[in-house]
Amino acid sequence: MICDRLQILLDELNLSQRQFAMKINLDAGYFSKIIRGKVNPPERILLLIENVFHVNKDWLENGQGDIFSNQGISLAKKQVLESIDSLNDEQVHAVSSFIKYLTENSKS
């Protein structure tokens, strides 16, 4: 069922139901009903999930194939970007400087 696969997706992304719902601009209470199997998600919500989290449509709807599609950024890059949200400005500057250093050195 889709609700079971959504729970797997939450675990894979290490997100709470509330965090997940916020990322797709969905009411957390409504998303909770979807997770519990009380409501079937409409097509537009499935499309949001596929696009925002780069989820494989076949996996989400039928449980077939890999969880994530090959489009967009990798899960590793996504997790790094999400981790940056928890940093203060000084830490973000340090990460930014490190990335700049890595990209400049990769050109040589």
Side-chain angles (χ1 to χ4, degrees):
M1 293 181 65
I2 288 179
C3 60
D4 297 327
R5 287 186 290 280
L6 286 173
Q7 187 59 58
I8 292 168
L9 184 58
L10 289 174
D11 293 341
E12 280 290 318
L13 295 170
N14 196 29
L15 293 174
S16 69
Q17 288 183 22
R18 180 174 300 281
Q19 291 169 322
F20 187 92
M22 285 176 54
K23 288 184 182 288
I24 58 171
N25 295 321
L26 188 65
D27 177 72
Y30 182 68
F31 185 68
S32 176
K33 289 179 183 178
I34 292 172
I35 286 286
R36 291 180 299 170
K38 304 284 184 191
V39 174
N40 286 324
E43 185 66 25
R44 70 174 187 82
I45 296 201
L46 295 178
L47 285 172
L48 276 171
I49 292 169
E50 292 163 19
N51 290 323
V52 170
F53 297 105
H54 305 288
V55 173
N56 177 352
K57 179 178 180 166
D58 288 334
W59 178 81
L60 184 59
E61 295 179 358
N62 308 310
Q64 298 174 348
D66 294 329
I67 294 176
F68 297 101
S69 67
N70 293 327
Q71 301 171 348
I73 63 174
S74 69
L75 179 59
K77 288 180 183 177
K78 185 170 186 49
Q79 288 173 332
V80 167
L81 292 173
E82 289 173 354
S83 296
I84 289 173
D85 284 341
S86 66
L87 302 177
N88 64 38
D89 288 343
E90 184 178 327
Q91 292 168 321
V92 170
H93 180 70
V95 169
S96 178
S97 296
F98 182 66
I99 291 171
K100 185 176 179 182
Y101 167 79
L102 290 175
T103 57
E104 287 174 355
N105 284 337
S106 69
K107 294 176 187 173
S108 36

